[in-house]
Amino acid sequence: MLNITLPDNTVRQYVEGITGHEIALSISEGLARNVLAIQVNGEVWDSNRPLYADANIKLLTWNDTEGKAAFWHTSAHIMAEAIELLYPGTKFGIGPNIENGFYYDVDMGERVLTEADFKALEDKMLELSRENQVLLRKEISKQGAIDHFTAKGDEYKLELINELTDGEITLYESGKFTDLCRGPHIPNTGFIKAIKVMSVAGAYWRGDINRKQLTRVYGITFPKQKDLTEYLILLEEAKKRDHRKLGRELELFTFSQNVGLGLPLWLPKGTAIRERLEAFLKKVQRNAGYVQVMTPHIGDVNLYKTSGHFQKYGQDSFQPISTPIEGEQFMLKPMNCPHHCEIYKFKPRSYKDLPLRMAEFGTVYRYEQSGELHGLTRVRGFTQDDAHIFCLPDQVKSEFVDVIKIVMIIFKALDFKDFTAQISLRDPNNKEKYIGTDENWDKAEQAILEVCKENNINAVIEYGEAAFYGPKLDFMVRDAIGRKWQLGTIQVDYNLPERFELEYIGNDNQKHRPVMIHRAPFGSMERFVAVLIEHCAGKFPLWLAPEQVSILPISEKYEIYAKNVSLLLNNYDIRSKIDNRNEKTGKKIRDAEVERIPYMLIVGEKEEAEGTISVRKQGDGDLGSFSIEAFAALINDEITKLME
RNA sequence: GCCGAAAUAGCUCAGUUGGCCAGAGCAGCUGAUUUGUAAUCAGCGGGUCGGGGGUUCGAAUCCCUCUUUCGGCUCCA
C-alpha cells in the first residue's frame, strides 16, 4: 500500500499503481470530473499516470495555476494537431502555455497565416477537442525519437531532442498527431470547450535574431464558453484603459511625427500630473535626507567609456554628436550616474559626509528600436526619478531598506495595493556580460538577498536579469484589472565607484571606496504615468487630478456666484474651473464626467441664496448640499487618507 | 531591426465587384435658447482618402515603394 499525503496533511492509503484520477474518484465524483492533473512531490503529472511510491500530492483543477497550465499545454497540442491537418507539411517548433493561454511556433514554409484563417483553425480545434482524444504518454529512447522526427522531417524537434538526455524523453500521442513533449496533459481534450485563436506574429527560432523567424500562433481556451466571454470582456476593458487612448482623450500627452519617434510631448494636463508626482517625491526625498542636483543632457563620450556604458551600449545609442571645430564627441545622456559620480568627485569626501543621497529628475535618451516603441511605456527620451546614494559599505543594507520604504510610500499614495518583487542577479554562466570582479558581485548580491530576507520581502530570484554593473531589486505592481507592470528599481553597485575612482576618507584617515545604490521608485515619469493612467482608468487620485472640481452654474445669472465659489476654493488650494458655456446642466455634467473631473459643484438660485454648493461626485452622483467649508473638509479628508 | 496587419476631417468610423463634386456622429465656429444632476435646437466651416510612383477613359478602392501606427519577436543601462 502507498501512503498518499493530501495538501491538508491527511494521509490516505492506496494500492500501488493508483492514478490521480482514481484518488480523486475516491474523494468525490465531482472532484474527479474536474481534475486536470496531479502534483506529485511538487512535480506536475498526468492524472492518469500511476504512482508507485509514497507521495505528497495535490489534485489540480482549473482553479490552480498548474491546472490551467496543463489545460493550455494540451490546448497548444490540439492547435498543432489542427494546424497539421489543415496545413500538411508544417514543421513545429515549441508550443508552451503562457500566462494567458498558449502559443505554438510553426514553420509553414511560404504560406502566411492571417486572421482570415483563425475561424477555420478554431473550428478544427473544436472538432478535435470534441473527439475526447486521450493524450498518450510514451517514454522513448533518444534514437527512437530521432528516427521518428527524421522520418517526419521536423528539424526543429530534432534540434530539441539533441539537447535532451536519453531516458528522459517522452512523446505524447493524440489522434494522428505525435509531439515531443515533457507533459503533463489533461486527461482528454473534451475538457476544452471554448477556443479562441488570438493573433499571429513572427518569432525567432529559440529567440535568436540570427535564426529563422517562425510563425507564432497565440490562442486561449477555457472549460466553459462563459469563461471565454469574460476574458474577452476583460480585454475590452483593457482597451478602454489604454493610456494611449486616454492620453489623447484627457489631453495628457501626444506624439508628433515632426518631432520624432518615441519623443513624447507633454500637454498641460499631463504636465500638471507629472509635476505633482515630482513634487510629491521631492518632498518624500527631502524628508529622507536627499539633496537635489541638476546635470546637462549631454556628456563627453569619454565619460561613458569610463562608466562602461559606451562599450556596452554604444552601438545601440544615438551616435555621438561632434563639435564643428575641435571635433569633440558628446553623447546624449543615456544615464545620469556618470554625471552624479563627477558631482561626488567635486571635493574630497569624508566618511562623515556619507551617505550622500543625490537625486535628479534626469532626462535621458536611448535609441530604442523602432518596433519597440509603445506609447509612453517605451520611448526614446524620458525622465528618470533617479538618485544615487553614495555610502559606506556597512550602510548599504540600511540605505537599501530606506529606499524600499520610499517605494512603499509611493505605492500607497497611488493605490497600488498588489505588488511583487524580483531580485535580478548575474547569469553565473555568462559572466562576460558584466563588468567588475566576482568579489564585488558577490558582495552586492548578498546585500540584496540579506535585505530581502531580513525584511520579509517575498521576492522571486531571476538569474541573468541584473544590470551590467550590478544586481537589482525590481518592484512589479498589479493594476486594477490584474496586469503586471514593472515600476521601481533599486540597484547595488560596487563597480562604478571603482571605475570612477570614487573615494572617501575614513576615520582611520585612509582612503576608501564608497558603494553606490542606484534607485528610481517611479522608474521613469513617462512609464509611471502610463501605468497610473491604466491602473485608475483616467480617474486620478484627487491629489493628482489636473482639475479637481468643475463648477457648473445653472445659467449665466449665477456666474458671479460661481466665480466667488472658485475664489473661496482657491483659499483651500482646491483646483477648480468654471464651466460657463451656454449649455444645459445635464450636458455640463456629462462632459465633466467624461473628463474624469472628481467633483462637480452645481450652483443656481437656491445655492446662491443659501451660500452653499450642490456637490456631485464623479462616478457616484449627487451628494447633496454643502457649505464651502464642509466641502473643503471632505476634499482634505480624501487626500490625507492616501498621503499619510 | 524582423514577421504580420492597418492608415479616410481634431476624434470615432462608413464608403468593401474601380464610376455622380468622399459621407455621418462627436468636437469647432455662428445664432437662438437662460437652462437643476450623463448629450437643447438650427446654420456654417473643415479632408492632396498617410507620402510618392504606376495600371486605367476613370483610383479612397488594384499594383509597387517609402513613412507611421498596431500585435508580436529581439532588445531594455
Side-chain angles (χ1 to χ4, degrees):
Chain A
M1 294 299 271
L2 300 179
N3 289 314
I4 300 296
T5 311
L6 300 178
D8 62 0
N9 283 327
T10 56
V11 180
R12 287 173 170 242
Q13 294 205 321
Y14 293 99
V15 294
E16 276 189 36
I18 188 96
T19 67
H21 182 255
E22 288 158 351
I23 293 172
L25 255 182
S26 78
I27 296 170
S28 93
E29 209 167 300
L31 179 61
R33 262 201 308 276
N34 288 315
V35 163
L36 297 175
I38 177 174
Q39 200 170 47
V40 180
N41 298 327
E43 196 180 319
V44 183
W45 286 18
D46 300 337
S47 66
N48 61 5
R49 184 169 162 190
L51 279 85
Y52 293 108
D54 291 353
N56 288 296
I57 66 139
K58 184 181 174 192
L59 295 163
L60 301 169
T61 68
W62 178 254
N63 295 324
D64 300 292
T65 311
E66 298 89 348
K68 282 195 181 78
F71 190 92
W72 284 330
H73 188 181
T74 302
S75 303
H77 195 97
I78 289 285
M79 185 159 78
E81 185 177 352
I83 289 172
E84 185 163 74
L85 290 169
L86 291 172
Y87 315 108
T90 300
K91 295 171 191 170
F92 294 89
I94 55 167
N97 53 285
I98 52 178
E99 191 176 354
N100 290 305
F102 55 90
Y103 66 78
Y104 220 113
D105 283 349
V106 297
D107 179 354
M108 306 181 85
E110 293 300 299
R111 191 169 216 295
V112 175
L113 193 73
T114 69
E115 283 183 30
D117 303 310
F118 288 3
K119 182 73 174 58
L121 186 51
E122 286 166 6
D123 289 347
K124 181 57 86 178
M125 287 172 70
L126 267 175
E127 192 184 314
L128 296 171
S129 70
R130 285 187 189 130
E131 288 174 8
N132 295 331
Q133 292 182 7
V134 174
L135 286 96
L136 215 62
R137 183 174 192 273
K138 289 168 102 177
E139 290 173 9
I140 188 171
S141 69
K142 190 162 184 170
Q143 193 54 50
I146 291 171
D147 292 346
H148 177 91
F149 287 101
T150 305
K152 211 179 154 196
D154 212 328
E155 68 243 37
Y156 304 104
K157 293 295 180 190
L158 285 169
E159 186 177 328
L160 295 172
I161 291 164
N162 273 323
E163 292 167 20
L164 296 174
T165 318
D166 201 359
E168 290 175 4
I169 300 176
T170 51
L171 300 183
Y172 275 82
E173 202 177 281
S174 65
K176 295 195 197 83
F177 185 70
T178 302
D179 201 359
L180 172 73
C181 180
R182 190 185 309 127
H185 283 287
I186 59 176
N188 73 70
T189 62
F191 284 81
I192 302 166
K193 303 282 194 208
I195 296 172
K196 181 90 183 156
V197 176
M198 300 299 294
S199 62
V200 285
Y204 301 108
W205 172 234
R206 316 212 78 180
D208 186 340
I209 195 163
N210 299 311
R211 305 199 62 179
K212 188 166 179 182
Q213 196 158 41
L214 308 182
T215 303
R216 177 166 295 179
V217 191
Y218 286 89
I220 191 161
T221 52
F222 295 93
K224 288 184 209 141
Q225 192 62 42
K226 188 169 143 265
D227 297 332
L228 173 60
T229 310
E230 279 171 11
Y231 178 71
L232 294 176
I233 289 171
L234 186 73
L235 290 186
E236 285 302 311
E237 176 62 22
K239 235 188 229 171
K240 281 187 217 155
R241 289 166 174 261
D242 191 316
H243 75 280
R244 293 165 299 185
K245 178 175 142 72
L246 288 171
R248 185 170 51 235
E249 288 173 1
L250 302 179
E251 301 191 354
L252 302 175
F253 62 89
T254 187
F255 291 88
S256 161
Q257 283 187 39
N258 300 324
V259 173
L261 296 188
L263 300 170
L265 303 173
W266 289 79
L267 301 174
K269 288 181 188 172
T271 305
I273 290 169
R274 172 171 158 182
E275 285 188 328
R276 220 151 262 129
L277 286 170
E278 292 182 358
F280 170 65
L281 181 58
K282 271 186 191 169
K283 191 175 166 193
V284 171
Q285 287 178 169
R286 199 161 52 239
N287 292 339
Y290 285 68
V291 289
Q292 291 287 140
V293 296
M294 287 190 195
T295 62
H297 287 231
I298 63 173
D300 194 298
V301 164
N302 289 313
L303 185 68
Y304 304 104
K305 287 185 179 164
T306 301
S307 69
H309 287 97
F310 185 79
Q311 294 84 328
K312 181 80 181 171
Y313 294 106
Q315 289 301 322
D316 307 321
S317 295
F318 286 110
Q319 290 309 292
I321 312 160
S322 295
T323 57
I325 295 162
E326 290 88 347
E328 302 155 288
Q329 298 236 295
F330 291 93
M331 283 186 85
L332 284 171
K333 171 166 81 172
M335 280 295 274
N336 302 303
C337 27
H339 290 75
H340 291 184
C341 286
E342 293 301 320
I343 291 179
Y344 182 91
K345 289 168 79 172
F346 161 71
K347 63 177 185 182
R349 304 286 178 177
S350 150
Y351 73 98
K352 294 175 189 168
D353 299 330
L354 304 186
L356 174 58
R357 308 181 188 92
M358 204 185 284
E360 174 177 16
F361 287 93
T363 305
V364 296
Y365 300 89
R366 298 178 183 175
Y367 176 77
E368 305 289 357
Q369 298 185 82
S370 60
E372 227 3 279
L373 301 170
H374 181 95
L376 280 185
T377 59
R378 197 75 187 269
V379 287
R380 285 177 168 171
F382 57 96
T383 302
Q384 295 178 312
D385 57 324
D386 211 355
H388 296 94
I389 300 169
F390 301 88
C391 64
L392 310 178
D394 65 10
Q395 291 169 334
V396 170
K397 279 160 70 176
S398 69
E399 286 302 310
F400 200 96
V401 171
D402 285 351
V403 174
I404 292 174
K405 284 182 191 154
I406 291 179
V407 172
M408 293 305 127
I409 289 171
I410 284 170
F411 285 178
K412 170 138 198 310
L414 295 158
D415 200 32
F416 288 108
K417 293 190 176 80
D418 189 0
F419 55 86
T420 54
Q422 174 182 311
I423 300 173
S424 299
L425 304 179
R426 194 163 57 147
D427 178 354
N429 303 317
N430 216 345
K431 290 184 179 174
E432 65 281 359
K433 277 167 59 183
Y434 311 91
I435 58 169
T437 61
D438 283 351
E439 191 199 347
N440 281 348
W441 272 89
D442 288 344
K443 276 191 280 188
E445 294 188 345
Q446 279 313 312
I448 293 185
L449 290 167
E450 283 168 26
V451 165
C452 288
K453 200 173 169 196
E454 287 162 19
N455 291 275
N456 293 320
I457 292 166
N458 199 5
V460 288
I461 296 175
E462 293 288 342
Y463 293 92
E465 295 292 313
F468 76 92
Y469 49 74
K472 53 183 184 168
L473 178 67
D474 293 327
F475 286 91
M476 266 75 95
V477 296
R478 214 176 255 284
D479 73 13
I481 57 171
R483 294 168 303 172
K484 269 188 184 172
W485 302 88
Q486 194 200 309
L487 292 176
T489 181
I490 317 175
Q491 307 167 0
V492 178
D493 178 8
Y494 284 80
N495 290 314
L496 289 191
E498 215 157 281
R499 295 178 78 103
F500 279 92
E501 300 177 333
L502 305 185
E503 289 169 345
Y504 65 90
I505 308 297
N507 60 359
D508 57 0
N509 201 27
Q510 299 296 306
K511 287 177 179 173
H512 298 277
R513 189 126 287 159
V515 185
M516 269 172 91
I517 295 173
H518 308 238
R519 42 108 280 176
F522 288 137
S524 86
M525 300 315 294
E526 285 73 8
R527 193 182 157 76
F528 190 82
V529 168
V531 173
L532 185 61
I533 291 169
E534 305 211 0
H535 179 54
C536 67
K539 297 172 195 165
F540 295 99
L542 190 54
W543 66 276
L544 263 188
E547 287 160 338
Q548 296 170 308
V549 169
S550 186
I551 304 171
L552 317 180
I554 296 291
S555 81
E556 63 186 66
K557 288 184 227 159
Y558 312 106
E559 274 181 30
I560 291 171
Y561 181 61
K563 186 80 192 151
N564 287 336
V565 170
S566 172
L567 289 172
L568 288 169
L569 292 178
N570 279 349
N571 293 338
Y572 290 100
D573 285 328
I574 295 169
R575 302 182 287 280
S576 64
K577 70 162 181 181
I578 301 172
D579 185 352
N580 53 16
R581 291 175 303 165
N582 183 5
E583 294 287 353
K584 298 182 111 169
T585 307
K587 169 71 168 166
K588 293 182 184 182
I589 287 171
R590 182 187 152 76
D591 287 348
E593 289 276 351
V594 169
E595 285 176 57
R596 320 289 208 273
I597 296 173
Y599 286 96
M600 288 148 267
L601 306 183
I602 294 137
V603 293
E605 188 179 355
K606 177 171 164 281
E607 288 75 16
E608 186 176 41
E610 295 173 357
T612 58
I613 47 182
S614 177
V615 178
R616 182 189 166 95
K617 186 168 184 178
Q618 201 268 343
D620 287 356
D622 196 355
L623 298 187
S625 186
F626 280 67
S627 68
I628 304 284
E629 295 71 32
F631 177 67
L634 177 81
I635 297 274
N636 193 41
D637 276 3
E638 186 174 334
I639 291 175
T640 47
K641 224 178 274 169
L642 282 166
M643 307 296 280
E644 69 203 6

